[in-house]
Amino acid sequence: MRALKAYPALLRAYWERAVTYRAVFVVALLNAAFPLVMMAIWIGMAQDGPVAGYTAADFASYYLSAILVRRATGVGIMQDAERMVRTGELSVYLIRPLGVFHHFFARVLASRPLAAAVPAMLVASAALLIPGQQFDLRLLNLLLFGLACGVGLVFEFLMQYLVAGLSFWIVQTQGISAAYQFVRAFLGGYIVPLALFPPALSAILIWLPFQVSVALPVELLTGRLDLAQGALRLGAGIAWTGLAGLGAQIVWSAGLRSYTAVGA
């Protein structure tokens, strides 16, 4: 309850920080160019006929949705958390009423409106200009889509928090971070739709944790999943999110017990 009472002030502070550092969102928009490149490639390949059930319009819908979803569920805390552990800055948060977890989470939540608003407008504009777009805008589906984005955001946060916790024992975690982000993007539907993998592999990937960050919300928004299928996959994502939270708690609890800050 104490943490919940403190969140309005934390969110307000980190919102002001997010508005101040607007250049971050320019960089985020530039990063959105990658799925547009992939979209162009797959649209070109689909000119002669559907690819794994995806037409050219389907690919456009998918990657435009992926841009929006990635901005909604994307998290970037690993480098900051590692720096805090390595430099001893973490010590400041250990004597505060709320731990570093809440400060990071409040920062992520406060940045969502700016992170998703501009891409949402760009995607909406592109969807109106490109004919043949297919989106499932039924109320129940949109509610499930919003819930999936929320679960995807929490999963991403907890996984990055878990990986960042390895900084207590590993001096540099950039390699582990890069490996995780590549696997997440490749097996989670950001680079390639899961349906384009071999059927046996695709049947496995839809139940792995990475799908909850991009593939699941995108497939819901583009109408490639019915509500029952979406709910089942969301349930799997919630279970993986719980495991990620448990793992993060174990790693950080063990790390803090052995933590010795420089100069402390």
Side-chain angles (χ1 to χ4, degrees), residues 43 46-47 54-64 130-134:
I43 286 178
Q47 293 301 314
Y54 279 76
T55 64
D58 291 334
F59 280 119
S61 301
Y62 185 93
Y63 283 105
L64 290 174
I130 300 176
Q133 304 305 304
Q134 297 295 326

Side-chain angles (χ1 to χ4, degrees), residues 63-82:
Y63 283 105
L64 290 174
S65 300
I67 293 173
L68 172 61
V69 170
R70 194 69 200 123
R71 298 282 72 78
T73 63
V75 177
I77 65 168
M78 284 189 281
Q79 290 184 346
D80 287 344
E82 179 195 357

Side-chain angles (χ1 to χ4, degrees), residues 22 24-33 35-36 60-61 63-74 111-128 135 145 190 221:
R22 292 181 292 271
V24 174
F25 298 100
V26 176
V27 174
L29 289 177
L30 293 176
N31 289 337
L36 294 178
S61 301
Y63 283 105
L64 290 174
S65 300
I67 293 173
L68 172 61
V69 170
R70 194 69 200 123
R71 298 282 72 78
T73 63
S111 68
R112 290 310 92 183
L114 283 178
V118 175
M121 290 187 290
L122 293 176
V123 168
S125 299
L128 292 174
F135 298 98
F145 165 76
Y190 187 59
L221 185 59

Side-chain angles (χ1 to χ4, degrees), residues 186-229:
F186 188 65
L187 300 183
Y190 187 59
I191 298 177
V192 181
L194 300 187
L196 271 62
F197 285 90
L201 180 57
S202 178
I204 296 174
L205 294 179
I206 62 174
W207 300 110
L208 292 184
F210 309 109
Q211 60 98 23
V212 74
S213 299
V214 175
L216 174 59
V218 169
E219 291 178 23
L220 284 169
L221 185 59
T222 55
R224 302 194 70 87
L225 290 177
D226 60 33
L227 293 178
Q229 292 172 324

